[in-house]
Structure formats: structure tokens, C-alpha cells
Amino acid sequence: MNQINTILEVNDIYKTFGATKALRGVDLSLNSGTIHALLGENGAGKSTLVKILSGVIRPDSGIIKINGNEHKFLDVQKSFEYGIRTVYQEMDLIDDMTVIDNLMLAKEISNKFGRLNYSKMVKEINKQADLRGIELPDLETRVSDLDIIHKQIIAIARAVFSGCKILILDEPTAVLNEVERDKLFEIMRNLKSQGSSIVFISHRLEEIFMITDSVTILKDGKLIKTLESSKVSPNKLVELMSGREISKLYPEKATVAGNDLLKLKNFSSGISKNITLNIRTREIFGIGGLVGQGQEDLIKGLVGLLSHDGEIKKGDRILKIKNIKDAFKNNIAYVSADRQKESLILCRPIFENIIVSILDKVSKNGVIINKKVEKISEEMIGLFSIKTANKKMPVNSLSGGNQQKVSLSKSLALDPEILILHEPTRGVDIQTRFEIYKVLRRLTKEGKTIIVISSEATELLGLCDRIAVMYEGNLQGIMEGEKITEDNLMALANNQEVVV
């Protein structure tokens, strides 16, 4: 890399927490006006490195150079002075305040009477937004009323408006759909064109090739390699991060077709309409298409989260599902895409989250039977290899991947016949994906039927035995066998005719 353009250098950084070696001689070089990916599985050292650059923690040894100025460590103030800003996945916005108040926090403009001068603050915000090419929502809106992409935009705008030169984005796309992601990428490209440098952390490999110039891979606290994004393949990235080829990420598919189990006839829910399909025993059935084409409405109607018309049959029996409890009673379990808001009680222990949906099975006369709780929670922790010191640890102490495993465990504890998973590997690393895929395939071999709704084409293609593709609420076709190809999936998702 050209030394003249280098804005940040990290040389031979070590950091140990007790007996854990979080970083072991890590190097990183960041050029001005570039987007640099930082990749690695959970525990690879990414978060530790980000906290060192942000001044939150101090390295044991090593050198940090910023614009040629050498430091053994940065404190928060020094990091801020150098223009380093971090936007975390859990954004630190104040929900009860308006957009303008969040953007001007600690930078408020007052009039001569000491009152906030909102007209001047609005003028300053609009000036900065125009300069940076950032389109903001209504400034009078409360942050709590914004959708996730606009919250991301506000968090990034606040960082950029405060003199940001190096922007670190930690999993910014984990909860975004494709349209929202593209809006974010447009902002990132604008910032790059204006000379800002961006460190981008993501578990979605396709994004690395869409937006970044270079990539640094960490594993077990060590630097594995730094490469130009255009000169490395997805397969090579997976191999460098996890030690396995991408073709070995997915377990073998079912070789024998099962019997029809779940039958939908003229089923409509939300924007999905007149869907007729059969889902078989012992299969992983995928539902795909471009984001917002009715996949989510279809499954929410199926589990009683949305009202529906049409017929649901399991075997020869017509099901009446008006709410999620009805789904549970019919041995259908559902795992939400938003584990933090809709699935988990983050402040409560792991074991409580696992058994919260089966309290009737682990209690007698209203009294919890500890032996049953312990047996089920230990089984689930073992099944998914949840990494924790013990089952009494709060869920928010776990990594995102292990939180997802707890979310899956909670639904699987119901011992459902049909398990419906919405974005089952959103925001988790390669190794965790491999572990989850392996468990899902094992469950089908034991007799369960699994339905997967995913916005990631590679996941559907690699994992599923059959794939239904939606377009504008309609079922475009169902692929199976040799017809499961990326070309066919994309064609159906874009309303093109394919023989399946």
C-alpha cells in the first residue's frame, strides 16, 4: 500500500484478558478514501481491536500510528481528536429524543438568552447533510418512531458530523434488508469519495465484494492475511476464516423424498395470495425471493401472527390457527428473524430463555421442577454447542451467534414436528453457521420438518432440499434436485419464466 495515503497503521498489537489471548501480534493498515473489511469468526479479535482503536481498552504492547503520529495506546479523547468514530450494532441513540436533539447532543446552539436555537441547529444539520450527501428523515421525529435503516443513518450522520475521518461500522447490515442495505452502501460510497476511511465488519460475505477495497482476516486473535477484495474469492475467504471450504459448509441434502405433511391450499396472508404447496416430512424447505415479496407474510399467517384465508392441512387434518398458541398446539414452532426484540429476554439467564415456552412441561401445580429444567437446558446447550460458562449466564453476555443458538433452542424445546426459521443465521459467523446447519440436518434425519425463510441466496441453495420462490405475493415456482441453481432462483425472483 502507498505509504503517503496511509491514515492508520496498527503494528504488532497484543492484548490479553486473564488467560485469554484476545490479540496476538495483529497488524492493520488503512488508506484514506477506502473501505476496508475486518473479518473473522466470533472470538477472532475484531471487537478487541475496535475497542483499542476507539480508546476504550489499552493494548499490552504494540504501536498505533495515525497520520504518522506514533502512540503506544489511545485514550477515548485522543481517539476522538483523531476523528475515529465507531457505530456499533447496538446503536447508542436516545429513543425518546428527536432526530435533531440526537444529532446535536453536546453540540447544541443557544441564543443569547441561553435557550436552544433550533433554527440555527437545523441550518447546521442541513449544511452538513448536503455536504456529506446524507438524506435525513424529518428532524422533528422521535428516534423511537424511526425504522432501523433511518436509525443507522442518524448514528452514522452523528459520527460524521462530529469531524469523523475514520468510521468503524460494526455489523451495520445485520438487521437490514437488501433495499435498506443498498441505502447504507450509497452513504458509505459518498463518504469514501470525500476521503473518509471506513472499517467495515460484516458476516455477510457477498457484501465484502460489493462495497470494500481490501480485507483483513483475523482468527483466534492472529492476523491471517490482508488482501485486495477484487483478488480473493468467497471460497478463499471462508477457508481463511474457518479452515474449511465453502462447499463443506453445508451438510449433505436429503436423498429420499418424504411424504407430504403440511399442505396449503389457496392460502393468503398479508400480501401473499392464493398459495398452494405441499411441504414434506424430513426435508428442509426454503422460501426465497427478493425482500418484501410476501415470504414473511406467508409464514406469519401460517403461525397465527397474521390473519389468513385459505386452508392449512397437516396430514388429513385441517388446522385452525388464529394465534401463535394455536401453532404450538399443532406442533409448529417459529423462530423470529429479530432475536433480540421478538425472541429472547436478554437480561435473563440462558436456561430461563430456553424453557420459557414450555413452563407447563417443567412444572407441577405451578411449581418449577428444577431437574426437568436442568435436563432440557443442558440438552439444548449441548445440542447447539452454546459457548457459555454456565446456563445461569444472562443471554446478553453471549456473542450474537450464541444468542441465535439460544433462540433456536427455545423453539426446539417445544419438540415441534415443524420448525419454521426466519433468517436463521442472520448476523452470525461462518463457524456458527456450520454448527447450526449441521443441527438442522440432524433434526430432519430424526423426523422433523424445517422451513427456512432467508434473504441469502447462497444459504437457500446450499441448505435446502426444495425452494419456493415468491414474487409480489405470488408463488413463482418450486425448485428441487438439479433445478436448484442460482440462475433459476434469480430468474424466478425477478418474474422470469423458468421450467422447474
Side-chain angles (χ1 to χ4, degrees), residues 3-11 13 28 30 53 62-75 78-79 81-84 165-166:
Q3 183 66 29
I4 295 174
N5 294 327
T6 301
I7 186 172
L8 169 69
E9 283 184 88
V10 171
N11 297 318
I13 292 289
L28 176 69
L30 181 65
L53 295 176
I63 297 296
I64 302 171
K65 289 183 182 178
I66 304 179
N67 296 324
N69 298 310
E70 191 172 298
H71 301 272
K72 290 185 176 180
F73 69 95
L74 300 173
D75 57 26
K78 185 63 70 176
S79 175
E81 289 172 358
Y82 276 123
I84 299 174
K165 295 181 177 63
I166 298 173

Side-chain angles (χ1 to χ4, degrees), residues 212-230:
T212 70
D213 302 293
S214 51
V215 52
T216 289
I217 300 153
L218 303 181
K219 183 175 175 61
D220 298 327
K222 294 180 181 179
L223 171 68
I224 299 301
K225 214 162 206 179
T226 294
L227 301 158
E228 291 183 41
S229 302
S230 61

Side-chain angles (χ1 to χ4, degrees), residues 318-331:
I318 295 176
L319 305 185
K320 301 293 184 183
I321 299 179
K322 296 182 179 180
N323 52 53
I324 195 72
K325 286 185 178 180
D326 289 341
F328 290 167
K329 289 175 183 176
N330 287 286
N331 288 323

Side-chain angles (χ1 to χ4, degrees), residues 165-203:
K165 295 181 177 63
I166 298 173
L167 178 63
I168 302 173
L169 298 176
D170 184 11
E171 291 280 357
T173 61
V175 294
L176 304 184
N177 62 38
E178 290 178 11
V179 174
E180 294 166 339
R181 178 199 64 194
D182 291 345
K183 286 182 183 178
L184 174 63
F185 282 179
E186 184 180 352
I187 292 172
M188 291 169 64
R189 291 187 183 102
N190 285 339
L191 295 176
K192 171 186 168 179
S193 69
Q194 296 169 11
S196 295
S197 302
I198 300 172
V199 176
F200 177 68
I201 300 173
S202 176
H203 289 307

Side-chain angles (χ1 to χ4, degrees), residues 299-300 302-306 321-330 332-335 414:
I299 58 164
K300 285 193 172 181
L302 180 55
V303 297
L305 294 174
L306 285 178
I321 299 179
K322 296 182 179 180
N323 52 53
I324 195 72
K325 286 185 178 180
D326 289 341
F328 290 167
K329 289 175 183 176
N330 287 286
I332 301 172
Y334 168 66
V335 179
L414 289 160

